[in-house]
Amino acid sequence: MSVDAIKFGTDGWRGVIGAEFTFDRLLMVAPIAAAVLADTYAAKTGNRKIIVGFDRRFMAETFAKRMAEAVRLAGFDVILSDTYAPTPAFSWAAHSQNALGALVITASHNPGDYLGLKVKGNFGGSVPPEMTTQIEARLGETLPPSHPGTLTTFDPWASYCQELRGKVDLASIQQSIASGKLSVFADVMNGAASTGLGRLLGLPITELNSKTDPLFGGGAPEPLPKYLSQLMRVIRSHQHEPGIRVGLVFDGDCDRIAAVDGSGEFLSSQILIPILIEHLVKQRGFTGEIIKTVSTSNLVPKIAKLYNLPIYETPIGYKYIADRMLTTPVLIGGEESGGIGYGNHIPERDALLSALYLLEAIAKSQQDLGDLYRQLESQTNYNFKYDRVDLHLANMEIRSRLMAQLEHKSFDKIAKIEVRDRNLTDGYKFNLVDDSWLLIRFSGTEPVLRLYCEAATIEQVQQTLAWAKDWAKSVS
C-alpha cells in the first residue's frame, strides 16, 4: 500500500472515495494520528481519550466506525459520536472532555466523491503543520503492542449548543424572529449544519437542502454564489414583505459560512468579517488582535485601524490562525473562504457561532447585513470588489509547470496594471499600483488553481481574473 497518496493539506487529508481514500489507508493513518496526539498531549491530559466524529457524506459513518475500532485496538479510549455533527462540535468535544484530540471523517467543502480525515488537538482546533508532518513521516510504522482501549458513544450536539448559546444575547435574536422583525433562512447544503440553527435558537426557521444527498445536488457543499441560486431566489421572493431577511449558508462540515442579504445579494466572508469586527467591538466591547490570511480583503486592516486594533497576517489555512490564537489575545481570526473563529471560544473556525453573532448584529442594529457593510465602506472610504475563481487542471503535471513558471518569473504588469510588489506568504500575491491585488495559489488536495482578486470595480476584478486564466492556459 503506497503511503505517498496520503498527504495532509491546509486542513486534513482528503481523497476520492475508493481511489485515494480507502479503508486500508484510513486504518493505517488513524492509529498513527492518535499516537502523535498522545505524544503531544498525553502529559497534559493524563488519559488516552480520542473523540471520533463524522459528517453526512457518503459512507462517512461507516468509515468513522471502522476507524474508531482500529484506534481502540491500538490502545486508545475512543468516544464515538452517535450521529453526524459539525466539525467544530468535535473540536469542542476534544477540548471540553480533555481528550487527546479528535479524528473527524469529513471532506469539508470538496465534491461528493471525496472523503477525508481532519485531526484536531486537545486545545480544540486543527493541529499545527509540524504534527501532520509527523503523521506523514510515521506512516507504515508498526505501533508497539498495547492493551485495547474502550469504546463509548456520545451526543456531540448537547454540550456544543449549550456553549454557543452562552456567547450571544439569545433572547434578543429570539424576540426579533418571534415578532416578525427578522426572518432567517439557512442553506445547510445537505451537510452537517442541518438542524443546527433550529437547535440553537429554539425556534423554527426556514432550512433549505436539509436532506442527506451524497452528490450535493451535483455540485459541492461550498458557500459560493454558483451553488446558491435557490436561496437567493427564495429570499428575493420575500423581498417586499415587512421585516429584515437574512440567508445563512454553511459548508459541508459547518466550519465555513457565507450569507445572503435581504435583497438576495451574496455576502462572502470578505464582507462578513468586517461586519463581525465592528459588532464585537461596538456592541460587545471586545478587543484583541485581528488575524487575517493573505487572501483576506484589504478592508479588514482598515477596520482594524479604525478601532486601533493590532492585525496579523498568516498563510491560508485555519491551522495557522489557530496556532496564533494559542499564544496571543485575539478578537477574531478569519479567512477568505469562510472560516471565522473567535478569541472567546476555542481556536477553531465555527460557522454556527458566526451565524449567531451575525443574527445578534442584525437584532441589535435592526439593519440588514448589506446596509451594515455599506456603512463600513463609507466609514473607511474603501469600496473595492472581490471574486475568486477555481480553475480545474487536467492533471498534477500541469500544476507543476505553472508553479515552476511562477517560481522563476515575475510579472511587471497584470491586466495592464503595474505590479508594485509580490507577497510570497502563501502562493503568489501581486499587489498592483492601484491598490488592487491578484493572488495565484494551488490547492493542497486537488489539481486546482485558485485565483483571487480584489479591485475597485467588479469589471476590473473580472478582467484581472480573465488575464490570470489566459496565462494559466498558455502555460498548460
Side-chain angles (χ1 to χ4, degrees):
M1 187 195 317
S2 172
V3 300
D4 294 337
I6 302 171
K7 297 292 182 184
F8 283 78
T10 54
D11 191 8
W13 161 53
R14 299 172 205 169
V16 174
I17 302 169
E20 296 100 4
F21 193 88
T22 65
F23 283 111
D24 286 343
R25 286 184 175 140
L26 177 64
L27 300 187
M28 177 174 61
V29 174
I32 296 295
V36 171
L37 288 170
D39 290 346
T40 307
Y41 302 114
K44 175 185 176 184
T45 66
N47 63 54
R48 290 177 67 79
K49 293 192 295 186
I50 296 285
I51 305 294
V52 171
F54 54 94
D55 66 8
R56 298 176 85 194
R57 284 176 177 267
F58 177 66
M59 292 189 71
E61 183 174 3
T62 303
F63 275 101
K65 288 179 176 178
R66 291 282 299 274
M67 177 173 71
E69 181 63 11
V71 173
R72 184 190 74 81
L73 291 174
F76 296 90
D77 296 323
V78 176
I79 306 172
L80 172 65
S81 176
D82 62 11
T83 185
Y84 73 85
T87 291
F90 299 119
S91 296
W92 169 251
H95 172 72
S96 63
Q97 298 191 43
N98 193 35
L100 296 170
L103 303 177
V104 186
I105 298 295
T106 177
S108 189
H109 61 283
N110 286 54
D113 54 347
Y114 278 77
L115 205 48
L117 172 67
K118 289 186 177 182
V119 182
K120 305 296 182 177
N122 163 266
F123 58 90
S126 296
V127 295
E130 54 266 27
M131 287 184 65
T132 54
T133 299
Q134 286 182 50
I135 296 170
E136 290 178 353
R138 294 178 60 178
L139 292 175
E141 174 184 324
T142 300
L143 296 176
S146 178
H147 184 74
T150 61
L151 177 62
T152 56
T153 60
F154 81 114
D155 172 10
W157 286 95
S159 173
Y160 172 64
C161 287
Q162 182 180 0
E163 176 68 14
L164 264 55
R165 290 188 196 103
K167 301 290 185 188
V168 296
D169 181 354
L170 194 64
S172 69
I173 301 172
Q174 292 170 326
Q175 184 178 12
S176 291
I177 295 172
S179 66
K181 293 179 180 178
L182 173 60
S183 298
V184 180
F185 302 82
D187 189 340
V188 298
M189 305 195 86
N190 310 109
S194 182
T195 74
L197 269 183
R199 292 172 187 258
L200 289 165
L201 297 173
L203 291 170
I205 63 163
T206 302
E207 190 173 282
L208 283 66
N209 297 309
S210 298
K211 295 180 180 179
T212 301
D213 179 0
L215 299 179
F216 300 107
E222 188 169 12
L224 297 175
K226 63 182 177 180
Y227 301 127
L228 302 176
S229 58
Q230 181 189 8
L231 176 61
M232 293 174 178
R233 184 171 62 253
V234 168
I235 288 185
R236 285 170 183 153
S237 71
H238 292 268
Q239 195 167 348
H240 300 295
E241 296 176 5
I244 300 169
R245 290 155 303 285
V246 62
L248 299 166
V249 188
F250 306 91
D251 79 328
D253 70 335
C254 193
D255 62 4
R256 300 186 183 197
I257 189 169
V260 173
D261 70 11
S263 62
E265 294 299 315
F266 177 73
L267 307 178
S268 72
S269 59
Q270 303 281 41
I271 292 172
L272 301 182
I273 292 171
I275 292 172
L276 287 162
I277 292 170
E278 187 196 45
H279 172 67
L280 295 174
V281 172
K282 289 184 68 176
Q283 294 291 340
R284 292 206 148 265
F286 291 173
T287 188
E289 183 177 85
I290 296 171
I291 309 175
K292 68 178 286 291
T293 61
V294 68
S295 60
T296 305
S297 171
N298 285 341
L299 179 59
V300 171
K302 291 186 179 296
I303 298 292
K305 184 177 180 181
L306 185 67
Y307 291 110
N308 196 30
L309 296 173
I311 192 158
Y312 185 84
E313 185 172 272
T314 72
I316 295 171
Y318 205 84
K319 58 189 174 185
Y320 300 106
I321 295 176
D323 194 42
R324 179 75 177 177
M325 293 175 84
L326 291 173
T327 60
T328 305
V330 168
L331 169 66
I332 189 172
E335 54 184 356
E336 162 274 336
S337 58
I340 308 171
Y342 306 88
N344 67 334
H345 191 41
I346 54 175
E348 176 70 297
R349 52 191 175 186
D350 193 319
L352 281 173
L353 179 54
S354 293
L356 288 179
Y357 278 136
L358 290 169
L359 293 176
E360 185 181 54
I362 296 170
K364 295 291 187 182
S365 68
Q366 288 298 301
Q367 289 184 276
D368 179 82
L369 288 181
D371 292 333
L372 290 174
Y373 181 70
R374 284 184 282 274
Q375 289 174 15
L376 288 174
E377 287 183 312
S378 178
Q379 283 179 268
T380 57
N381 194 30
Y382 187 83
N383 187 345
F384 270 48
K385 305 302 178 185
Y386 167 84
D387 200 4
R388 165 186 145 189
V389 171
D390 288 354
L391 188 62
H392 291 265
L393 307 175
N395 50 56
M396 297 300 277
E397 181 183 345
I398 292 175
R399 177 185 186 273
S400 298
R401 290 207 299 267
L402 291 168
M403 186 176 291
Q405 182 167 126
L406 287 167
E407 288 176 353
H408 297 102
K409 175 185 175 182
S410 188
F411 303 115
D412 296 324
K413 290 185 178 181
I414 289 177
K416 300 181 180 180
I417 307 296
E418 289 186 13
V419 175
R420 184 177 62 227
D421 57 59
R422 188 171 68 158
N423 181 338
L424 302 180
T425 299
D426 188 348
Y428 304 83
K429 184 176 183 179
F430 300 91
N431 295 304
L432 310 185
V433 294
D434 63 351
D435 290 331
S436 64
W437 55 264
L438 169 70
L439 173 63
I440 301 174
R441 180 178 170 272
F442 298 89
S443 167
T445 56
E446 307 169 79
V448 172
L449 181 65
R450 305 199 189 283
L451 306 172
Y452 314 71
C453 179
E454 187 172 61
T457 66
I458 194 62
E459 290 77 18
Q460 185 182 348
V461 169
Q462 299 306 328
Q463 289 170 7
T464 304
L465 292 173
W467 179 94
K469 286 190 284 187
D470 289 343
W471 162 78
K473 290 175 183 176
S474 70
V475 174
S476 58

